[in-house]
Amino acid sequence: SAVPDAPSAFIVYEQTNPNDPFGKVMVDNLMRRGCPLLSIHDYPTLAAQQDRYTDRGWDKVVAFDMNSVYDKHLDIKDVERI
């Protein structure tokens, strides 16, 4: 990196939990459509997603599932609009 100490952030939207009932259907459905989720079994949980980045040198990693984002991190007006 040209500026290794520069603050940075990014958002990753990854599917997780391939082994719960919904996840099994999702993985199978996408596979049958030719859209395999190539890393879902390598990083199947939020904790595994966090480790994915801390293992590569990120000092701080925060992960949320979409239910948490919807319930706790969106403005109530946006939730009502949705």
Side-chain angles (χ1 to χ4, degrees), residues 39-51:
S39 65
I40 194 167
H41 296 288
D42 295 329
Y43 310 104
T45 64
L46 287 178
Q49 287 289 344
Q50 288 176 289
D51 292 344

Side-chain angles (χ1 to χ4, degrees), residues 1-67:
S1 169
V3 186
D5 295 327
S8 47
F10 62 94
I11 295 174
V12 176
Y13 186 74
E14 290 276 351
Q15 296 84 358
T16 59
N17 302 318
N19 298 314
D20 70 13
F22 178 83
K24 288 177 182 179
V25 171
M26 172 184 62
V27 169
D28 182 59
N29 189 351
L30 290 169
M31 180 69 75
R32 283 187 286 117
R33 287 174 163 68
C35 303
L37 299 173
L38 299 178
S39 65
I40 194 167
H41 296 288
D42 295 329
Y43 310 104
T45 64
L46 287 178
Q49 287 289 344
Q50 288 176 289
D51 292 344
R52 178 183 192 176
Y53 297 100
T54 56
D55 290 350
R56 287 164 176 79
W58 288 87
D59 294 329
K60 182 178 179 183
V61 177
V62 179
F64 299 106
D65 64 26
M66 287 308 296
N67 289 330

